[in-house]
Amino acid sequence: MSLVGRYSKFSKDPLYMSEVFSNRNKKPVHSCIFDYVQKLIFSGEYDSKRKLPTDHQLMRQFGVSRATVVKAMRDLEHRGLVDRRPGIGSFAKLNAHPHHTLFSVLIAGLGDTEFFEPICAAIALSCHKNNHGLLWGDLTDIHKKKLTEQSCQTIVRGLVAKKVSGVFFVPDELDDENENNDSNQMLVDAISNAGIKIVLIDRDICTFPSSGPHDVVGIDNFRAGFDQTNHLIQNGCRRILYLTRPGILSTKTARIAGYCHAMEQAGLERGQRWICQGNVRDALLIDEILSHKPDGIACFHDPIAAELIQSLLLRNIAIPRQIKIIGLDDVKYSQLIQVPLTTIRQPCRDIGIQATNLMIERIHGVSLPPRHVFMPTELIVRDSTSLQT
């Protein structure tokens, strides 16, 4: 048994230690040590009276230099989790163990799309691993555009009564004609004023390129829109439309900006008339799309792209020979539709894990400016832009 094994039940858990060492291929070793010691603290196995594994023990456990261990321990100290006592050892700080920390997830329309399901699952698993509780909030009012100051206060009073310390929030889509009635901002302000920490998921409160005062975890949507369009350009498309749904979202604005930048960079025509929005099931919208005689269409997300493919096939449009189509998200059914969909994959699980890590840092009083964490995406090429051989 390793020296650390004498001190921690986690080092005796082969699944846990396998996860720790597999992470060494994905992140710096000092981050793996940080995660390991944090796990020891959050498990309740160590407190302010029981000395944590020494630097030497951690060096042997991970096979690293003292400098690497010191960096990890200093990071833990800066996060308010560890008290380093020269000549004595390292101890968990008195208030480091979050026995009663409770978080809440507030997503309007949760269940309307499968995109948020793996994100929520990752948040739930991360909270469980770190001994945090998790509540699922009801945002029926905000999703039906009926949120009022009174209902905001009702939501916040419920969070306060349950002693919720942090909220994971996904801002809802606003109506185009009602952009000045920002129910998202109203709710976020009420939560913040109650002293509850907020981490936004997928999108900011503010419209791109502005940014708000809260942490945001998602993808670089400008880059995603650029990558979608650039893929179509590289596949020979020159008359490219951007197709989206009505509504105001920071992600939508950013993706359209990325589309415009890619078109400009390639010296291709762009402009408002090349941006179509509406219900893809509407025959008039399909007429409008076809009137532009596009050879490529970048879609806001996969559900729009899937419905577009179905509508075009009903009109005997050959995909990808006549029109190439790309989506965004890589939802499960995107490879199961009549013409498997090329798309930009979002790392949903990693978004949920990173959101939880940011929340834990905020709960422990880490004083940093608002952070926008962009997780890497991946282009998934299927038949809708390039027939597979």
Side-chain angles (χ1 to χ4, degrees):
M1 181 188 299
S2 68
L3 289 173
V4 174
R6 299 176 189 172
Y7 292 85
S8 168
K9 66 181 180 182
F10 291 109
S11 63
K12 301 174 186 177
D13 182 344
L15 290 178
Y16 175 73
M17 291 310 296
S18 174
E19 179 182 352
V20 167
F21 284 103
S22 67
N23 282 339
R24 293 182 62 170
N25 296 323
K26 304 175 184 177
K27 62 168 89 172
V29 180
H30 75 269
S31 296
C32 295
I33 299 172
F34 178 103
D35 292 343
Y36 176 76
V37 177
Q38 178 178 258
K39 182 88 173 182
L40 300 183
I41 296 170
F42 286 177
S43 71
E45 193 175 350
Y46 290 82
D47 55 26
S48 59
K49 296 180 181 178
R50 185 180 180 194
K51 185 163 63 174
L52 289 162
T54 67
D55 291 0
H56 182 67
Q57 290 164 351
L58 292 171
M59 288 165 58
R60 290 189 59 182
Q61 179 77 12
F62 287 87
V64 296
S65 68
R66 182 178 180 83
T68 301
V69 172
V70 168
K71 178 171 175 52
M73 298 304 288
R74 282 180 178 168
D75 286 348
L76 287 159
E77 189 175 22
H78 292 158
R79 298 283 174 86
L81 299 177
V82 167
D83 180 16
R84 300 270 280 175
R85 304 174 193 173
I88 300 176
S90 299
F91 298 81
K93 278 204 170 178
L94 188 60
N95 297 320
H97 178 220
H99 279 295
H100 304 293
T101 305
L102 185 63
F103 299 141
S104 178
V105 174
L106 297 179
I107 302 179
L110 181 62
D112 290 353
T113 172
E114 69 177 63
F115 169 67
F116 289 110
E117 292 177 7
I119 294 177
C120 291
I123 290 174
L125 182 60
S126 295
C127 286
H128 175 72
K129 285 183 176 180
N130 290 294
N131 294 322
H132 297 301
L134 190 65
L135 294 175
W136 304 98
D138 180 11
L139 285 186
T140 303
D141 283 349
I142 191 172
H143 194 48
K144 292 181 177 179
K145 319 303 179 188
K146 294 180 180 178
L147 193 71
T148 64
E149 186 67 38
Q150 182 177 359
S151 57
C152 265
Q153 294 305 322
T154 299
I155 291 171
V156 173
R157 280 197 297 270
L159 296 173
V160 172
K162 293 180 174 68
K163 298 183 179 179
V164 170
S165 299
V167 168
F168 301 99
F169 179 52
V170 177
D172 197 22
E173 189 172 53
L174 300 176
D175 291 332
D176 288 312
E177 65 274 11
N178 200 26
E179 58 181 311
N180 293 322
N181 181 20
D182 192 343
S183 52
N184 292 312
Q185 191 67 61
M186 188 190 310
L187 179 57
V188 164
D189 288 346
I191 294 172
S192 293
N193 291 338
I196 299 173
K197 307 296 184 183
I198 296 175
V199 172
L200 301 176
I201 297 174
D202 183 56
R203 61 195 71 150
D204 204 340
I205 289 290
C206 304
T207 302
F208 176 86
S210 301
S211 58
H214 301 287
D215 294 333
V216 184
V217 184
I219 64 170
D220 184 341
N221 286 283
F222 177 89
R223 182 74 199 188
F226 178 91
D227 288 344
Q228 283 180 296
T229 311
N230 192 52
H231 174 71
L232 294 175
I233 292 170
Q234 290 179 348
N235 278 270
C237 298
R238 292 298 177 265
R239 298 177 60 82
I240 302 172
L241 288 178
Y242 189 90
L243 179 61
T244 185
R245 64 191 187 198
I248 300 171
L249 280 175
S250 63
T251 51
K252 172 181 169 181
T253 310
R255 291 173 194 178
I256 291 175
Y259 154 81
C260 291
H261 183 64
M263 295 292 282
E264 179 181 17
Q265 191 176 81
L268 300 176
E269 184 179 354
R270 70 201 186 286
Q272 194 59 42
R273 77 184 190 92
W274 290 93
I275 300 170
C276 297
Q277 68 174 24
N279 187 341
V280 185
R281 298 177 183 176
D282 185 347
L284 292 178
L285 178 62
I286 300 301
D287 289 340
E288 178 189 351
I289 290 171
L290 294 177
S291 70
H292 291 283
K293 298 181 179 178
D295 54 10
I297 302 176
C299 298
F300 172 70
H301 63 180
D302 289 352
I304 290 176
E307 289 190 349
L308 175 64
I309 288 174
Q310 183 178 30
S311 296
L312 293 179
L313 290 177
L314 289 173
R315 298 204 181 195
N316 296 317
I317 303 296
I319 302 168
R321 184 171 59 82
Q322 290 177 270
I323 301 177
K324 294 178 173 62
I325 297 171
I326 185 169
L328 199 153
D329 285 345
D330 195 30
V331 296
K332 291 178 183 177
Y333 61 77
S334 61
Q335 58 184 310
L336 304 175
I337 57 180
Q338 291 141 297
V339 181
L341 179 64
T342 293
T343 187
I344 303 290
R345 176 180 292 164
Q346 294 209 52
C348 296
R349 178 178 176 275
D350 293 340
I351 289 173
I353 293 171
Q354 185 61 51
T356 309
N357 291 340
L358 290 187
M359 181 66 78
I360 291 171
E361 291 179 1
R362 289 300 182 191
I363 293 299
H364 286 290
V366 176
S367 180
L368 292 170
R371 292 162 293 179
H372 283 215
V373 179
F374 294 146
M375 308 304 292
T377 57
E378 181 183 0
L379 173 66
I380 306 297
V381 180
R382 300 193 180 102
D383 291 0
S384 67
T385 61
S386 178
L387 287 171
Q388 302 298 301
T389 58

